[in-house]
Amino acid sequence: MTSKDQSRKASRRGSGRPTIADVAKLAGVAAITVSRALRDPSLVSAELRAEIDTAVVQLGYAPDPNARALASSRADVIGVLVPSLTNIVFADTVRGIYDELGDGPLQIQMGNTHYSPREEERLMRMFLSQRPSALIVSGIDQTETTRKLLESADCPIVQIMEYGDDPVDMLVGFSHFDGGKAATNHLIEAGYRRIGFIGARMDPRSQRRLAGYRSALETAQLFDPKLVTTTLTPSRVSLGAPLLADALAKVADLDAVFCNNDDLAMGVLFECQRAGIAVPHSMAICGFNDLDMMHVAYPSLTSVRTPRYEIGRRSVQMVLDRLAGRPIESPIVDLGFELQVRESTAR
C-alpha cells in the first residue's frame, strides 16, 4: 500500500467525511493552497491543480456548504505580528500598514512577539481563533509548529521584512544577506582591509547580515574569525562602545566596522570620538537600516537603507488584492535596499 493510499484510508477512518486538511496531506501541499485552488484554480499552477484534483477524486472530497458559510464570516481584522513595537524599524513598517489600509472596513490587531518564538506561537493561536481576514507576519523563521499553524490558516498571509523562495503564502521584503554583503564590499572597495563585524541580539535577520559580511570577506580572502564581535544582548546605542573595545582588544589594527544596525554604528562613532580615533581615516563605520540620525551625525554615517515603510504598504496591497479576488502579479516581492555612502567610509 502506498503512502497516499494509507493517507486516504486513515482519513476515512475519522469522521467519515474528508476535509481540506485531508486533501492537503494527500496532495502534499498546505491547506490554504487547496482552499485557494478550489476557490479559484487560476491562483495555483497547473501541476498543483492536477495534484489537488487527484487527491479530491481519491478521497471523494466535497466542500461542506456549512463550513463555507462559516469561512465567509470572518472578523474584519488583519492580524499583524512584529517582534517589537518600540524599534523604529518595525514602527516604520507598521506606519506603512496603517497608512495603506486607510479608513476602510478592515482594522488592525497588533501582536508583539518580543523576539520570542514561543510568544509568536501563542499569539498565532490566539489570532487564528478569532478568524482574521488576513495575517501579516514578520520574518520567515517561524518554528515548525507556527509554520504549520500558518499553513492551515484559510486566509491570506503575507510574511514581511525578508526575502526567500518558500513563503507560506506571500512575501515582501529584501535580502539581509545581500545587504550585508554589499556593505562589506563597499568597505573593501574603499580600501579598508581589517573590517570587523559588530552585532547585538543576533536574531535571524542579523545572522543573515553577518553571513553576507563573511561571504564578501572570504571572497576577498580577508576573513578572520577574530574580526567578528557579537552579543545576544538587545541592541542599543550604548552597546557600541564596549563592543568596539572588545573588537579592538582582539584585532588592534582594525580599520573598519560593519554594524548590524544603526544604533550600534552611532555608539561606535561616539566611542571613536571619545577615544580620539579619527573617522573615517583611522576607522570606517557602516550601519544598517539608515535611520534618520545617520545623515545628521558628524561625520555622517554610511548605512544600508531598507524599504521599511514601503514593505508595510505593499503587504496591505497584497492582502487587499487577494481578498478582492484580484490576481497577484507575484507572491514574492523583493523591494531591495540602497547603500547610502556618506563621510564615515570616505577615507
Side-chain angles (χ1 to χ4, degrees), residues 47-288:
E47 182 180 354
L48 271 182
R49 283 202 307 273
E51 288 285 337
I52 292 168
D53 289 345
T54 299
V56 166
V57 171
Q58 288 184 2
L59 290 171
Y61 171 77
D64 184 344
N66 293 326
R68 280 190 170 181
L70 181 62
S72 66
S73 60
R74 291 192 170 275
D76 290 333
V77 165
I78 298 176
V80 179
L81 281 174
V82 294
S84 172
L85 293 175
T86 56
N87 186 328
I88 187 62
V89 171
F90 296 103
D92 284 346
T93 302
V94 170
R95 182 167 56 87
I97 289 172
Y98 274 102
D99 285 356
E100 186 63 28
L101 198 57
D103 297 324
L106 292 173
Q107 301 297 314
I108 296 296
Q109 181 177 5
M110 293 299 308
N112 184 355
T113 70
H114 300 283
Y115 294 91
S116 166
R118 179 176 295 183
E119 179 66 3
E120 182 178 51
E121 181 181 326
R122 187 189 72 81
L123 288 170
M124 187 64 66
R125 291 184 187 279
M126 184 187 73
F127 277 21
L128 290 175
S129 72
Q130 297 169 359
R131 303 186 59 76
S133 292
L135 289 170
I136 297 174
V137 183
S138 181
I140 56 176
D141 296 282
Q142 285 77 28
T143 64
E144 182 179 356
T145 297
T146 301
R147 172 93 184 190
K148 287 179 179 178
L149 288 170
L150 287 170
E151 289 173 344
S152 66
D154 188 17
C155 68
I157 295 166
V158 185
Q159 291 164 282
I160 60 173
M161 306 299 285
E162 294 272 11
Y163 182 72
D165 59 4
D166 187 31
V168 172
D169 185 12
M170 297 177 284
L171 176 68
V172 56
F174 61 94
S175 170
H176 293 263
F177 176 91
D178 289 348
K181 189 171 184 177
T184 309
N185 278 330
H186 163 66
L187 292 168
I188 294 170
E189 292 163 6
Y192 299 97
R193 289 298 176 265
R194 298 292 277 167
I195 303 168
F197 178 92
I198 288 181
R201 192 184 287 281
M202 299 311 295
D203 60 25
R205 285 171 289 277
S206 295
Q207 294 287 354
R208 281 187 264 279
R209 295 169 201 170
L210 172 57
Y213 154 88
R214 178 167 182 161
S215 176
L217 285 191
E218 287 180 339
T219 299
Q221 298 184 328
L222 295 173
F223 181 72
D224 179 346
K226 292 187 296 183
L227 291 167
V228 177
T229 304
T230 63
T231 177
L232 297 180
T233 302
S235 183
R236 57 183 185 272
V237 173
S238 59
L239 265 182
L243 288 175
L244 178 62
D246 290 346
L248 288 169
K250 293 186 295 182
V251 183
D253 60 343
L254 195 72
D255 64 357
V257 288
F258 168 45
C259 301
N260 81 320
N261 61 49
D262 291 343
D263 288 350
L264 293 177
M266 186 64 74
V268 168
L269 175 62
F270 290 157
E271 178 60 14
C272 285
Q273 292 172 338
R274 187 198 65 79
I277 301 172
V279 177
H281 301 293
S282 299
M283 181 72 69
I285 305 171
C286 179
F288 199 99

Side-chain angles (χ1 to χ4, degrees), residues 4 7-31 34 51-52 55-56 58-61:
K4 288 195 174 183
S7 176
R8 182 172 67 251
K9 185 175 180 181
S11 68
R12 287 178 171 169
R13 281 201 296 263
S15 66
R17 184 186 185 106
T19 66
I20 277 186
D22 296 326
V23 175
K25 183 176 181 181
L26 185 58
V29 299
V34 175
E51 288 285 337
I52 292 168
V56 166
Q58 288 184 2
L59 290 171
Y61 171 77

Side-chain angles (χ1 to χ4, degrees), residues 290 294-295 300-303 305 340-346:
D290 198 35
M294 301 300 275
H295 77 92
S300 58
L301 290 164
T302 295
S303 189
R305 178 175 294 173
Q340 298 295 305
V341 178
R342 299 192 179 97
E343 296 167 337
S344 68
T345 59

Side-chain angles (χ1 to χ4, degrees), residues 325-346:
R326 293 187 289 267
I328 303 295
E329 184 176 342
S330 174
I332 301 175
V333 178
D334 181 6
L335 292 179
F337 56 84
E338 186 178 354
L339 183 66
Q340 298 295 305
V341 178
R342 299 192 179 97
E343 296 167 337
S344 68
T345 59

